[in-house]
Amino acid sequence: MSEMKGSSAAGAGAASATDAPAAAEPLIRVEGLHKSFGNLEVLKGIDMEVRPREVVTIIGASGSGKSTLLRCLNLLETPESGHVWFHGKDLTEVRTNVNELREHIGMVFQGFNLFNNMDVLDNCTLAPVTLKKMKKAEAENVAMKHLASVGMDKFAHAAVARLSGGQKQRVAIARALCMNPEVMLFDEPTSALDPEVVGEVLEAMRKLAADGMTMVVVTHEMAFAKTVSDRVVFMDQGVICEEGAPDELFGHPKHERTREFLSRYLADIA
C-alpha cells in the first residue's frame, strides 16, 4: 500500500484503519464487460475488482478504453454484456435502482460539469438538497467542510465562471464529496488544466487517498499513479494487459506493450 494512505475514513463505506484493501470484499466487481460504439469494440471483456479504501489507477494510451470503463462503473455508459457489481448489487440488472446506487458513487469529470449560473456553494448543495432532501443549512455546513478540505472555502460565494480551471476542478471534487460517496471516480481530472494548476488538483486527490477514500482514477499523471495508487491497471486496445502494485508494474512490467508505453514516462517519474 502507498505510504500516502492514512488511517481516517473519508467515505461512508470505508473499512477500519487496520484493514488492508486486499483483505476486504470488493466494493466494485466487473465481470466480462463489453462495450461498443457502432462497429468499434472499445471494451473486450474486462474483469476487475476495487476493494474498500483502495486507490486503483487506470493508465494507457488514448483510445485504450480507460474512460469508457470508468463510465461503465456507474452506468453513464451502458455495456452490451457483462456485469458491474456494487456492494453485491448488479448495476446492469433491469430491476436495480441505478440512480439510488449512483448517490454512493461520486464522479469528477475532465470538463468540471459545474453550473455556471450558480455560485460555488450552490453547486455543492444542489444535489444533497434535491436528492437527499437535506436541509439547506445542513447542506451548506457540509459543503463548507468539503470546500475547506480542497482549499476553496474562501470562494464559496464566487461565480463559477470566474474561477480558474484548477479551482473549478477542486470545487467539482468538493461537490462530489457532499453526497458522502463510498467511492470516487476520476476521469482524467487534470487533462483539461494548464500545467501550473495540475499540482493543486493532484494534492486534493492525495489528501482524499490519505483519508481512506476508495478511488478509481483514469489519468496520464504517472507520478501520481506511482506514488498514490495501491494498484495500477494498464489497458491497451480494450483489454487489461497488466495490473499490479505500482513498484511492480513501473519497476518490472511483464508485458511488452506495458514496457513500451511506460518507456515514454519512466525518466520523468524515476
Side-chain angles (χ1 to χ4, degrees), residues 159-179:
V160 166
R162 294 182 175 273
L163 301 179
S164 70
Q167 290 171 333
K168 289 178 180 178
Q169 198 61 292
R170 283 187 284 157
V171 171
I173 293 171
R175 178 184 60 179
L177 291 173
C178 286
M179 290 296 287

Side-chain angles (χ1 to χ4, degrees), residues 160-217:
V160 166
R162 294 182 175 273
L163 301 179
S164 70
Q167 290 171 333
K168 289 178 180 178
Q169 198 61 292
R170 283 187 284 157
V171 171
I173 293 171
R175 178 184 60 179
L177 291 173
C178 286
M179 290 296 287
N180 195 27
E182 296 182 57
V183 58
M184 288 279 285
L185 310 180
F186 293 85
D187 186 10
E188 300 197 30
T190 61
S191 65
L193 302 180
D194 292 331
E196 60 267 25
V197 299
V198 166
E200 63 191 44
V201 174
L202 293 179
E203 181 58 27
M205 294 169 64
R206 286 189 181 95
K207 288 179 180 178
L208 270 183
D211 284 343
M213 174 61 75
T214 307
M215 297 164 58
V216 184
V217 184

